Short mmCIF file of all heavy atoms in Angstrom, two decimals:
data_model
loop_
_atom_site.label_atom_id
_atom_site.label_comp_id
_atom_site.label_asym_id
_atom_site.label_seq_id
_atom_site.Cartn_x
_atom_site.Cartn_y
_atom_site.Cartn_z
N SER A 363 -42.86 -60.44 -11.23
CA SER A 363 -44.03 -61.27 -10.92
C SER A 363 -44.84 -60.68 -9.77
O SER A 363 -46.07 -60.61 -9.83
CB SER A 363 -43.57 -62.68 -10.57
OG SER A 363 -44.67 -63.50 -10.22
N LEU A 364 -44.15 -60.22 -8.73
CA LEU A 364 -44.87 -59.60 -7.61
C LEU A 364 -45.63 -58.36 -8.05
O LEU A 364 -46.69 -58.04 -7.50
CB LEU A 364 -43.88 -59.21 -6.51
CG LEU A 364 -43.24 -60.33 -5.69
CD1 LEU A 364 -42.36 -59.75 -4.59
CD2 LEU A 364 -44.29 -61.27 -5.09
N ALA A 365 -45.10 -57.66 -9.06
CA ALA A 365 -45.75 -56.45 -9.57
C ALA A 365 -46.86 -56.77 -10.57
O ALA A 365 -47.47 -55.85 -11.12
CB ALA A 365 -44.71 -55.55 -10.21
N GLY A 366 -47.10 -58.05 -10.81
CA GLY A 366 -48.16 -58.43 -11.73
C GLY A 366 -47.74 -58.44 -13.19
O GLY A 366 -48.59 -58.55 -14.08
N GLU A 367 -46.43 -58.34 -13.46
CA GLU A 367 -45.96 -58.36 -14.83
C GLU A 367 -45.72 -59.79 -15.29
O GLU A 367 -45.40 -60.68 -14.49
CB GLU A 367 -44.67 -57.54 -14.96
CG GLU A 367 -44.87 -56.07 -14.57
CD GLU A 367 -43.58 -55.25 -14.68
OE1 GLU A 367 -42.81 -55.49 -15.63
OE2 GLU A 367 -43.36 -54.40 -13.82
N GLU A 368 -45.86 -60.02 -16.58
CA GLU A 368 -45.68 -61.36 -17.13
C GLU A 368 -44.20 -61.72 -17.20
O GLU A 368 -43.37 -60.92 -17.60
CB GLU A 368 -46.30 -61.44 -18.53
CG GLU A 368 -46.28 -62.82 -19.14
CD GLU A 368 -46.99 -62.88 -20.47
OE1 GLU A 368 -47.65 -61.88 -20.83
OE2 GLU A 368 -46.89 -63.92 -21.15
N VAL A 369 -43.91 -62.94 -16.81
CA VAL A 369 -42.53 -63.44 -16.84
C VAL A 369 -42.52 -64.77 -17.60
O VAL A 369 -43.31 -65.67 -17.29
CB VAL A 369 -41.98 -63.64 -15.42
CG1 VAL A 369 -40.57 -64.24 -15.47
CG2 VAL A 369 -41.96 -62.32 -14.65
N GLU A 370 -41.63 -64.88 -18.59
CA GLU A 370 -41.55 -66.11 -19.35
C GLU A 370 -41.01 -67.24 -18.47
O GLU A 370 -40.18 -67.01 -17.60
CB GLU A 370 -40.67 -65.93 -20.59
CG GLU A 370 -39.26 -65.42 -20.31
CD GLU A 370 -39.15 -63.91 -20.36
OE1 GLU A 370 -39.83 -63.24 -19.56
OE2 GLU A 370 -38.35 -63.40 -21.17
N PRO A 371 -41.47 -68.49 -18.67
CA PRO A 371 -41.05 -69.59 -17.80
C PRO A 371 -39.58 -69.97 -17.98
O PRO A 371 -38.97 -70.50 -17.05
CB PRO A 371 -41.97 -70.75 -18.18
CG PRO A 371 -42.48 -70.40 -19.54
CD PRO A 371 -42.55 -68.91 -19.60
N ASN A 372 -39.03 -69.74 -19.16
CA ASN A 372 -37.60 -69.99 -19.41
C ASN A 372 -36.97 -68.71 -19.92
O ASN A 372 -37.33 -68.22 -20.99
CB ASN A 372 -37.41 -71.11 -20.43
CG ASN A 372 -37.78 -72.47 -19.89
OD1 ASN A 372 -37.36 -72.84 -18.81
ND2 ASN A 372 -38.59 -73.21 -20.63
N ILE A 373 -36.05 -68.16 -19.14
CA ILE A 373 -35.34 -66.95 -19.55
C ILE A 373 -33.96 -67.37 -20.03
O ILE A 373 -33.08 -67.70 -19.23
CB ILE A 373 -35.24 -65.95 -18.38
CG1 ILE A 373 -36.65 -65.58 -17.89
CG2 ILE A 373 -34.48 -64.70 -18.81
CD1 ILE A 373 -36.66 -64.74 -16.61
N VAL A 374 -33.79 -67.39 -21.34
CA VAL A 374 -32.54 -67.87 -21.93
C VAL A 374 -31.62 -66.67 -22.15
O VAL A 374 -31.94 -65.75 -22.89
CB VAL A 374 -32.80 -68.59 -23.27
CG1 VAL A 374 -31.49 -69.12 -23.85
CG2 VAL A 374 -33.79 -69.74 -23.06
N VAL A 375 -30.47 -66.72 -21.50
CA VAL A 375 -29.52 -65.61 -21.55
C VAL A 375 -28.51 -65.86 -22.66
O VAL A 375 -27.78 -66.83 -22.62
CB VAL A 375 -28.78 -65.46 -20.20
CG1 VAL A 375 -27.88 -64.23 -20.22
CG2 VAL A 375 -29.78 -65.39 -19.06
N PRO A 376 -28.46 -65.00 -23.69
CA PRO A 376 -27.54 -65.24 -24.79
C PRO A 376 -26.09 -65.08 -24.36
O PRO A 376 -25.77 -64.30 -23.46
CB PRO A 376 -27.93 -64.19 -25.83
CG PRO A 376 -28.97 -63.33 -25.23
CD PRO A 376 -29.25 -63.79 -23.85
N ALA A 377 -25.20 -65.82 -25.01
CA ALA A 377 -23.76 -65.69 -24.76
C ALA A 377 -23.01 -66.27 -25.94
O ALA A 377 -23.56 -67.06 -26.71
CB ALA A 377 -23.36 -66.40 -23.47
N GLN A 378 -21.76 -65.88 -26.10
CA GLN A 378 -20.95 -66.40 -27.19
C GLN A 378 -19.51 -66.57 -26.73
O GLN A 378 -19.08 -65.93 -25.78
CB GLN A 378 -21.01 -65.48 -28.41
CG GLN A 378 -20.58 -64.05 -28.15
CD GLN A 378 -20.83 -63.14 -29.33
OE1 GLN A 378 -21.22 -63.58 -30.39
NE2 GLN A 378 -20.59 -61.85 -29.16
N MET A 379 -18.77 -67.44 -27.42
CA MET A 379 -17.38 -67.69 -27.05
C MET A 379 -16.48 -66.54 -27.51
O MET A 379 -16.69 -65.97 -28.57
CB MET A 379 -16.88 -68.99 -27.68
CG MET A 379 -17.64 -70.23 -27.25
SD MET A 379 -17.52 -70.59 -25.48
CE MET A 379 -15.78 -71.02 -25.33
N ARG A 380 -15.50 -66.21 -26.65
CA ARG A 380 -14.51 -65.19 -26.97
C ARG A 380 -13.12 -65.72 -26.62
O ARG A 380 -12.96 -66.43 -25.64
CB ARG A 380 -14.80 -63.91 -26.16
CG ARG A 380 -16.02 -63.15 -26.64
CD ARG A 380 -16.48 -62.12 -25.63
NE ARG A 380 -17.38 -62.70 -24.64
CZ ARG A 380 -17.98 -62.00 -23.69
NH1 ARG A 380 -17.76 -60.71 -23.58
NH2 ARG A 380 -18.78 -62.60 -22.83
N GLN A 381 -12.13 -65.36 -27.42
CA GLN A 381 -10.77 -65.80 -27.14
C GLN A 381 -10.05 -64.77 -26.29
O GLN A 381 -10.15 -63.56 -26.53
CB GLN A 381 -9.98 -66.04 -28.43
CG GLN A 381 -8.58 -66.60 -28.17
CD GLN A 381 -7.85 -67.04 -29.42
OE1 GLN A 381 -8.36 -66.86 -30.55
NE2 GLN A 381 -6.69 -67.62 -29.26
N VAL A 382 -9.33 -65.25 -25.29
CA VAL A 382 -8.58 -64.36 -24.40
C VAL A 382 -7.43 -63.71 -25.17
O VAL A 382 -6.71 -64.37 -25.92
CB VAL A 382 -8.04 -65.15 -23.19
CG1 VAL A 382 -7.08 -64.29 -22.37
CG2 VAL A 382 -9.19 -65.63 -22.32
N ASP A 383 -7.29 -62.40 -24.95
CA ASP A 383 -6.14 -61.67 -25.49
C ASP A 383 -5.63 -60.74 -24.41
O ASP A 383 -6.07 -60.79 -23.25
CB ASP A 383 -6.50 -60.92 -26.78
CG ASP A 383 -7.62 -59.91 -26.58
OD1 ASP A 383 -7.74 -59.35 -25.46
OD2 ASP A 383 -8.38 -59.66 -27.54
N GLU A 384 -4.69 -59.87 -24.75
CA GLU A 384 -4.03 -59.01 -23.76
C GLU A 384 -5.00 -58.07 -23.04
O GLU A 384 -4.71 -57.59 -21.94
CB GLU A 384 -2.92 -58.18 -24.42
CG GLU A 384 -1.69 -58.98 -24.84
CD GLU A 384 -1.90 -59.78 -26.12
OE1 GLU A 384 -2.99 -59.64 -26.75
OE2 GLU A 384 -1.00 -60.55 -26.50
N SER A 385 -6.16 -57.81 -23.62
CA SER A 385 -7.10 -56.87 -23.00
C SER A 385 -7.86 -57.48 -21.83
O SER A 385 -8.52 -56.75 -21.08
CB SER A 385 -8.12 -56.40 -24.05
OG SER A 385 -8.99 -57.45 -24.44
N HIS A 386 -7.79 -58.79 -21.64
CA HIS A 386 -8.64 -59.45 -20.66
C HIS A 386 -8.01 -59.56 -19.27
O HIS A 386 -8.71 -59.93 -18.32
CB HIS A 386 -9.05 -60.83 -21.16
CG HIS A 386 -10.00 -60.79 -22.31
ND1 HIS A 386 -9.64 -61.14 -23.59
CD2 HIS A 386 -11.29 -60.38 -22.40
CE1 HIS A 386 -10.66 -60.98 -24.41
NE2 HIS A 386 -11.68 -60.51 -23.70
N CYS A 387 -6.72 -59.29 -19.13
CA CYS A 387 -6.10 -59.31 -17.81
C CYS A 387 -6.31 -57.94 -17.17
O CYS A 387 -5.56 -57.00 -17.44
CB CYS A 387 -4.62 -59.65 -17.92
SG CYS A 387 -3.73 -59.51 -16.34
N ASN A 388 -7.32 -57.83 -16.33
CA ASN A 388 -7.68 -56.56 -15.70
C ASN A 388 -7.20 -56.56 -14.25
O ASN A 388 -7.84 -57.13 -13.37
CB ASN A 388 -9.19 -56.36 -15.76
CG ASN A 388 -9.63 -55.04 -15.15
OD1 ASN A 388 -8.80 -54.23 -14.73
ND2 ASN A 388 -10.93 -54.81 -15.10
N ARG A 389 -6.06 -55.93 -14.00
CA ARG A 389 -5.49 -55.93 -12.66
C ARG A 389 -6.07 -54.83 -11.77
O ARG A 389 -5.65 -54.69 -10.62
CB ARG A 389 -3.97 -55.80 -12.74
CG ARG A 389 -3.31 -56.97 -13.44
CD ARG A 389 -1.79 -56.91 -13.40
NE ARG A 389 -1.20 -58.03 -14.11
CZ ARG A 389 -0.98 -59.23 -13.60
NH1 ARG A 389 -1.34 -59.47 -12.34
NH2 ARG A 389 -0.43 -60.19 -14.32
N SER A 390 -7.03 -54.08 -12.28
CA SER A 390 -7.66 -53.05 -11.46
C SER A 390 -8.75 -53.62 -10.57
O SER A 390 -9.30 -52.91 -9.72
CB SER A 390 -8.25 -51.95 -12.35
OG SER A 390 -9.34 -52.44 -13.12
N ILE A 391 -9.09 -54.90 -10.76
CA ILE A 391 -10.07 -55.56 -9.90
C ILE A 391 -9.40 -56.76 -9.25
O ILE A 391 -8.36 -57.23 -9.72
CB ILE A 391 -11.31 -56.02 -10.70
CG1 ILE A 391 -10.95 -57.09 -11.73
CG2 ILE A 391 -12.01 -54.85 -11.35
CD1 ILE A 391 -12.14 -57.73 -12.40
N PRO A 392 -9.95 -57.25 -8.13
CA PRO A 392 -9.39 -58.47 -7.55
C PRO A 392 -9.40 -59.60 -8.57
O PRO A 392 -10.40 -59.83 -9.27
CB PRO A 392 -10.35 -58.76 -6.39
CG PRO A 392 -10.94 -57.43 -6.04
CD PRO A 392 -11.06 -56.70 -7.35
N LEU A 393 -8.28 -60.29 -8.69
CA LEU A 393 -8.13 -61.28 -9.75
C LEU A 393 -9.02 -62.50 -9.55
O LEU A 393 -9.22 -63.29 -10.47
CB LEU A 393 -6.67 -61.71 -9.87
CG LEU A 393 -5.69 -60.60 -10.28
CD1 LEU A 393 -4.29 -61.16 -10.43
CD2 LEU A 393 -6.15 -59.92 -11.57
N GLU A 394 -9.59 -62.66 -8.33
CA GLU A 394 -10.52 -63.77 -8.11
C GLU A 394 -11.90 -63.50 -8.67
O GLU A 394 -12.73 -64.39 -8.76
CB GLU A 394 -10.66 -64.05 -6.60
CG GLU A 394 -9.37 -64.26 -5.87
CD GLU A 394 -8.81 -62.97 -5.28
OE1 GLU A 394 -9.20 -61.88 -5.75
OE2 GLU A 394 -8.00 -63.07 -4.36
N ALA A 395 -12.19 -62.24 -9.01
CA ALA A 395 -13.53 -61.84 -9.42
C ALA A 395 -13.74 -62.07 -10.91
O ALA A 395 -12.79 -61.99 -11.70
CB ALA A 395 -13.76 -60.37 -9.10
N PRO A 396 -14.97 -62.35 -11.33
CA PRO A 396 -15.25 -62.46 -12.76
C PRO A 396 -14.96 -61.14 -13.46
O PRO A 396 -15.40 -60.08 -13.01
CB PRO A 396 -16.76 -62.79 -12.80
CG PRO A 396 -17.09 -63.32 -11.45
CD PRO A 396 -16.16 -62.63 -10.51
N ALA A 397 -14.25 -61.20 -14.56
CA ALA A 397 -13.90 -59.97 -15.28
C ALA A 397 -15.14 -59.25 -15.79
O ALA A 397 -15.14 -58.04 -15.97
CB ALA A 397 -12.97 -60.29 -16.44
#
Side-chain angles (χ1 to χ4, degrees):
S363 178
L364 289 184
E367 299 179 38
E368 185 176 351
V369 177
E370 56 269 61
N372 289 311
I373 301 172
V374 182
V375 185
Q378 57 187 354
M379 299 298 292
R380 288 165 273 184
Q381 184 172 4
V382 171
D383 59 31
E384 289 77 5
S385 69
H386 290 109
C387 173
N388 181 4
R389 297 186 182 276
S390 67
I391 64 172
L393 296 183
E394 307 92 340

